[in-house]
Amino acid sequence: MRRAGGRRHTLRDIAAALNLSVNTVSRALSGKDGIGEKTRALVRAEAERVGYVPNSMARSLVTGSAMTFGLVITNPSNPFYAQLISSIELRARAHDYSLLLTVTDESAENEARAAESLLRSSVSGAIVVPVQASADPWRRLGAVGVPTVLLNRDLPDLGYRFVGTDNELGGYRATAHAISRGARSIVVLEEDLPITTIADRIAGYRRAMTEAGLAMPRGSIIRVPTRRHDQAALPWQPQQAYQVARRMLRRARLPDAVVVGNDYFALGLYRALAEHGLKVPDDLMVIGFGDHPFSAFLSPSLTTVRLPAEEVGEIAADLLLEEIAGGRSARPLKQLIAPTLVERDSTAGASRAERRGQAGDASPA
């Protein structure tokens, strides 16, 4: 409801109608202490009667904060980040915060601009997926008192709160699953990008292979050329994985299984295998990473590692709210959330590796 002339009702209007101070009305509506329940009820009833809408701009001028979470991600088309954004936005909205989204496209230059933009916007706090080229942009936010939570990729030197997926565990579980299905030679297709999420997945692969006493000869880890720097809207290219897979299939001996760094790479791998007359999982098992929406509808459906995007987003938002409030949290400084292996048809049935094992040949490749 607006007053005559189209002006919104203000705190001053409510205060005048109830013969109260503006400060009392403000404290009553914001749930602050020191206001009696009878007064609080009267203020809320009057605010509802006149259709009062809080002026967030005015509030930001008073508090020095725009009641906004700054969210910085590297990659807008990654389904993981789509879920993450939704989860964080819901948490922020529940606490009357809006969301300011910035995308860096894996560019250190864009990241520096994003940090500067957050400073100019007077955000209440920031949730950041760093490029990991330098910690300096986010060190500056902390230096001026902007609460900052790191997400999915840590910058340990800063000592900021961090929450992310346990990618090392994800790589381990994917590889261990292939081994449990009889695989003895396993190849990894991973993006050629120097970030900790990729390094952690490879570390998990190596741990599982080492524990099983299996060889990791040269060429076991195959890098897929990244195009993120050229075209952020299509960060993962099935075409690139397809070309790499075609070269891999020219080898003298086919691996028993391939673990891919994301489900998009599985699309390219599936096509290359079909062109060579090879079947999944009969000739080669495939394990993905991400559990993207299309993965269950591939033929055969893709065994993959499901990432806890919603949970990670909720924890990140809660950590930031705690940092903004200035309270001490019982949560650990660093939190890694376990991913889940989703078993589907791409590792089911009697694979070539299992048939060989049943015949008594289970020697490492």
Side-chain angles (χ1 to χ4, degrees):
M1 183 186 299
R2 292 177 180 267
R3 297 181 56 178
R7 186 173 70 82
R8 283 184 177 184
H9 285 274
T10 66
L11 290 177
R12 193 176 298 279
D13 296 328
I14 298 173
L18 298 176
N19 197 27
L20 297 171
S21 70
V22 173
N23 181 59
T24 297
V25 171
S26 176
R27 293 177 64 83
L29 290 175
S30 60
K32 297 290 180 64
D33 295 335
I35 304 296
E37 286 304 316
K38 182 178 179 180
T39 300
R40 197 185 305 276
L42 285 171
V43 170
R44 288 176 175 170
E46 179 65 12
E48 184 175 349
R49 185 185 72 80
V50 301
Y52 169 73
V53 177
N55 187 331
S56 59
M57 182 65 73
R59 179 165 53 175
S60 71
L61 291 173
V62 173
T63 64
S65 165
M67 290 296 291
T68 300
F69 283 2
L71 175 59
V72 180
I73 64 171
T74 59
N75 170 6
S77 64
N78 184 339
F80 173 82
Y81 287 124
Q83 296 177 58
L84 199 75
I85 292 168
S86 177
S87 176
I88 293 172
E89 196 277 332
L90 284 172
R91 228 17 164 230
R93 190 196 316 161
H95 291 82
D96 297 324
Y97 286 87
S98 58
L99 202 64
L100 176 62
L101 176 65
T102 305
V103 177
T104 63
D105 297 335
E106 298 290 359
S107 162
E109 183 179 350
N110 289 345
E111 183 176 57
R113 281 198 291 261
E116 188 63 32
S117 175
L118 295 186
L119 287 171
R120 290 197 306 269
S121 301
S122 299
V123 295
S124 305
I127 298 173
V128 175
V129 181
V131 174
Q132 292 189 311
S134 169
D136 289 345
W138 311 120
R139 181 178 286 109
R140 186 180 174 202
L141 256 66
V144 298
V146 178
T148 303
V149 172
L150 300 178
L151 191 151
N152 229 36
R153 305 177 190 174
D154 197 9
L155 296 169
D157 292 346
L158 296 181
Y160 291 169
R161 292 198 174 277
F162 165 78
V163 59
T165 301
D166 191 336
N167 284 284
E168 194 274 346
L169 179 61
Y172 175 85
R173 285 180 172 172
T175 309
H177 174 67
I179 294 170
S180 75
R181 301 296 296 165
R184 293 298 176 264
S185 59
I186 303 173
V187 167
V188 174
L189 292 187
E190 263 294 3
E191 187 177 18
D192 188 13
L193 197 66
I195 56 176
T196 54
T197 47
I198 292 175
D200 289 346
R201 285 197 292 268
I202 292 174
Y205 157 77
R206 287 178 170 144
R207 177 162 69 96
M209 295 291 282
T210 300
E211 287 182 2
L214 298 176
M216 291 173 280
R218 184 176 180 180
S220 295
I221 298 169
I222 303 174
R223 297 289 186 169
V224 179
T226 186
R227 295 183 63 186
R228 291 206 208 190
H229 301 301
D230 303 323
Q231 193 175 6
L234 295 171
W236 290 320
Q237 296 290 322
Q239 176 69 20
Q240 301 298 315
Y242 165 72
Q243 297 292 349
V244 169
R246 288 183 66 190
R247 292 194 292 272
M248 178 191 74
L249 294 174
R250 297 191 190 109
R251 294 180 177 183
R253 183 172 181 181
L254 192 71
D256 296 328
V258 176
V259 176
V260 298
N262 64 77
D263 292 355
Y264 284 96
F265 287 173
L267 295 175
L269 176 59
Y270 268 38
R271 178 177 173 180
L273 290 169
E275 289 179 357
H276 279 73
L278 299 171
K279 293 184 178 181
V280 178
D282 297 354
D283 297 303
L284 185 147
M285 291 181 282
V286 179
I287 302 97
F289 214 92
D291 194 25
H292 298 329
F294 60 80
S295 301
F297 298 94
L298 292 176
S299 182
S301 57
L302 182 65
T303 293
T304 186
V305 176
R306 178 178 297 156
L307 305 180
E310 183 176 351
E311 185 178 359
V312 168
E314 289 176 354
I315 293 174
D318 288 344
L319 288 173
L320 186 58
L321 287 165
E322 291 173 1
E323 289 285 305
I324 292 170
R328 293 177 61 90
S329 174
R331 303 172 189 261
L333 184 67
K334 312 291 181 183
Q335 295 184 69
L336 288 175
I337 311 303
T340 305
L341 182 76
V342 180
E343 296 184 34
R344 297 194 180 105
D345 293 340
S346 67
T347 57
S351 68
R352 177 175 59 85
E354 286 184 303
R355 293 195 300 271
R356 186 190 63 215
Q358 291 166 2
D361 176 16
S363 58

